[in-house]
Amino acid sequence: MNFRAFLIKYAEIGIKGKNRYLFEDALMKQIRRALRRIEGNFKVTKEDGRIYVMAEDDDFDEEDVYSALQHVFGIQGICPMLQVEDEGWEKLCETVVSYMKETYGEEENYSFKVQARRARKNYPLNSNEICYKMGEAILNEVPNVHVDVHKPDVMLHIEIRQKINIYSKTVKGPGGMPIGTNGKAMLLLSGGIDSPVAGYMIAKRGVVIDAVYFHAPPYTSERAKQKVIDLAREVAAFSGPINLHIVNFTDIQLAIYEKCPHDELTIIMRRYMMKIAQDLAEKTGCLALITGESIGQVASQTMQSMAVTNEVCTMPVYRPLVGFDKQDIVEISQQIGTFETSILPYEDCCTIFVAKHPVTKPYLKIIKRSEQNLNGVIEELYETAINTVETVWCESEA
Ligand code: ATP
Ligand code: MG
């Protein structure tokens, strides 16, 4: 059966009262954005507590609709649905019987249950009567099926509204909250596996994402930069367009390399990254930073290192992967489609200036003392880095 209507299911927790229409409107906006990327003409509408996607003609592929909507946070499920006019009970029974036969086969052996909802109270039958009578009609017309009210194979929903909705299948959505229902945050996006996943996870909570990448030409190549742009585009398939701010970090890194103990390079460099990211975040209206850090993954992610790095931040820093094992992160990156790009072998600015034996338990006092060696040089470099930021608008190409 070809469906032209889809019921969008979303979690209703926490979206009572005034928040509800904000949530629904944001969700509809993101649904429209996702559907613009596929072939077909669609209408997105809402009717108390329900969002519908309706194709205006048959020029579309049902699978495209699912894959587009599986990128829209806030959607719990997508139900292909038959929506019909109310033309009387007999006609409804006929429609439902042929729906069951077409969807599940004429001779198949399966159990079902009818779940009815009557939003229009003047309908002549109440919900229980609809369930009972429709169950009977199906048993009479479809051979080999039986009713199981506890664990049915098929849960058939019949909703009496202005029109009548008939559905029984759900394609899983990504969950989360619609983009735009929370604030904006600045993702520190490198070319690695972790940070795209971290951005995805925070975007999933409805947060708009801006990103910053620290580029160190000529030590890092144009290809390394392009890889980060590609990753931003891949995350944007879920989060919506991302403004990627590219900071030229070379001179700051060289200054640190020249003036500070080499075993402290990474930690001092990371403190500067966080500072710059925070400045950009404040300028662009972001309320938090996001990183892909996870406890103990590398020397710069021991608890001591993270404490010292964090000390420069006044803004909250979200580290959604902090308790994740690498393998778990890899699995998410494969699911969301960033893994293949992340493992391309281009150099990373952190790896070029990295010491053989970086400190793993830095002391804030000592690090601050080393940073004093930068006084008189770093201020101008910092200004220049901030003032020469290149911003690239990254939109999904999928
Ligand atoms: P990732 O896989 O995200 O690159 P990683 O395991 O390589 O992480 P680090 O290199 O220590 O870890 O970086 C930790 C975090 O710092 C990254 O997840 C990212 O958020 C940020 N970061 C590191 N390098 C850069 C960079 N060049 N530009 C922007 N952010 C960076
Ligand atoms: Mg990295």
Side-chain angles (χ1 to χ4, degrees):
M1 178 172 273
N2 290 326
F3 291 94
R4 279 171 66 164
F6 304 86
L7 169 67
I8 305 302
K9 284 197 172 163
Y10 50 87
E12 292 180 49
I13 305 159
I15 54 160
K16 301 246 149 51
K18 194 172 130 253
N19 290 335
R20 176 155 173 166
Y21 88 91
L22 292 175
F23 182 100
E24 288 171 339
D25 289 355
L27 185 54
M28 288 169 72
K29 185 174 162 196
Q30 297 304 325
I31 290 173
R32 290 193 183 103
R33 174 181 67 78
L35 292 173
R36 272 200 296 274
R37 300 213 302 264
I38 62 171
E39 213 157 305
N41 298 305
F42 302 94
K43 248 210 190 103
V44 182
T45 55
K46 100 177 151 173
E47 181 185 21
D48 50 3
R50 288 278 180 268
I51 289 176
Y52 302 120
V53 170
M54 306 281 187
E56 311 221 62
D57 49 49
D58 286 324
D59 295 335
F60 72 99
D61 184 340
E62 206 176 309
E63 288 308 315
D64 286 351
V65 172
Y66 301 131
S67 63
L69 297 181
Q70 277 167 336
H71 286 80
V72 178
F73 294 134
I75 296 182
Q76 294 296 328
I78 307 138
C79 308
M81 167 182 92
L82 210 56
Q83 192 173 62
V84 294
E85 298 290 343
D86 181 6
E87 296 173 304
W89 179 252
E90 292 306 315
K91 177 72 183 159
L92 181 62
C93 290
E94 264 174 48
T95 308
V96 169
V97 165
S98 64
Y99 165 89
M100 292 296 270
K101 285 181 174 172
E102 276 195 51
T103 310
Y104 300 102
E106 302 222 0
E107 308 285 331
E108 294 305 307
N109 189 326
Y110 61 89
S111 63
F112 74 98
K113 175 184 178 178
V114 182
Q115 181 97 53
R117 200 154 144 179
R118 188 180 59 153
R120 177 153 56 86
K121 296 296 174 201
N122 66 1
Y123 195 75
L125 302 176
N126 68 28
S127 304
N128 278 336
E129 290 165 339
I130 298 168
C131 290
Y132 177 76
K133 289 188 174 233
M134 189 56 77
E136 208 172 50
I138 293 169
L139 288 171
N140 287 338
E141 297 296 324
V142 189
N144 304 331
V145 298
H146 62 281
V147 171
D148 181 344
V149 291
H150 300 294
K151 271 189 131 188
D153 298 321
V154 173
M155 179 73 89
L156 173 67
H157 296 266
I158 299 181
E159 290 181 357
I160 312 284
R161 293 171 177 266
Q162 247 1 73
K163 294 184 180 177
I164 299 175
N165 297 338
I166 302 158
Y167 63 93
S168 61
K169 286 192 165 173
T170 306
V171 175
K172 204 169 175 322
M177 308 273 287
I179 296 291
T181 51
N182 262 304
K184 182 158 79 161
M186 181 66 75
L187 169 66
L188 283 88
L189 182 62
S190 66
I193 294 171
D194 306 326
S195 45
V197 173
Y200 165 88
M201 288 181 66
I202 298 300
K204 191 172 173 188
R205 301 309 304 160
V207 176
V208 173
I209 303 286
D210 258 33
V212 53
Y213 166 58
F214 295 90
H215 186 39
Y219 304 97
T220 58
S221 63
E222 277 302 299
R223 288 198 309 179
K225 172 171 142 185
Q226 186 57 44
K227 174 181 166 181
V228 176
I229 295 174
D230 292 343
L231 283 170
R233 288 193 177 134
E234 286 162 11
V235 175
F238 295 91
S239 67
I242 294 178
N243 257 322
L244 173 65
H245 308 280
I246 299 172
V247 177
N248 186 328
F249 202 46
T250 312
D251 290 341
I252 292 181
Q253 279 192 298
L254 287 174
I256 299 171
Y257 192 72
E258 212 171 283
K259 310 253 177 206
C260 302
H262 284 188
D263 60 344
E264 296 170 6
L265 287 181
T266 308
I267 209 80
I268 295 175
M269 186 190 78
R270 293 199 52 72
R271 280 165 58 88
Y272 274 98
M273 279 188 182
M274 296 301 255
K275 265 194 229 182
I276 293 175
Q278 182 166 276
D279 276 0
L280 292 173
E282 277 164 3
K283 278 193 189 160
T284 52
C286 294
L287 298 173
L289 302 178
I290 308 166
T291 76
E293 291 162 300
S294 150
I295 296 175
Q297 206 188 73
V298 285
S300 60
Q301 295 175 29
T302 61
M303 286 181 68
Q304 291 85 350
S305 296
M306 282 202 266
V308 172
T309 308
N310 202 66
E311 194 266 345
V312 299
C313 302
T314 49
M315 205 177 250
V317 181
Y318 297 152
R319 298 179 172 88
L321 307 179
V322 79
F324 279 46
D325 291 344
K326 192 74 185 188
Q327 189 50 38
D328 302 334
I329 303 171
V330 165
E331 275 165 27
I332 302 175
S333 80
Q334 286 167 333
Q335 278 163 24
I336 66 174
T338 52
F339 182 73
E340 295 302 325
T341 309
S342 287
I343 58 173
L344 292 173
Y346 308 137
E347 65 295 327
D348 173 351
C349 72
C350 311
T351 52
I352 288 163
F353 294 92
V354 80
K356 276 214 181 69
H357 301 289
V359 280
T360 54
K361 294 194 173 97
Y363 286 100
L364 183 59
K365 264 194 198 152
I366 296 176
I367 297 294
K368 280 190 160 172
R369 200 160 61 212
S370 304
E371 282 177 350
Q372 286 180 1
N373 300 344
L374 296 164
N375 288 351
V377 204
I378 197 77
E379 298 77 4
E380 201 186 322
L381 299 180
Y382 193 98
E383 277 299 304
T384 308
I386 293 274
N387 292 334
T388 56
V389 170
E390 175 197 0
T391 299
V392 180
W393 176 255
C394 299
E395 213 165 350
S396 167
E397 286 176 339

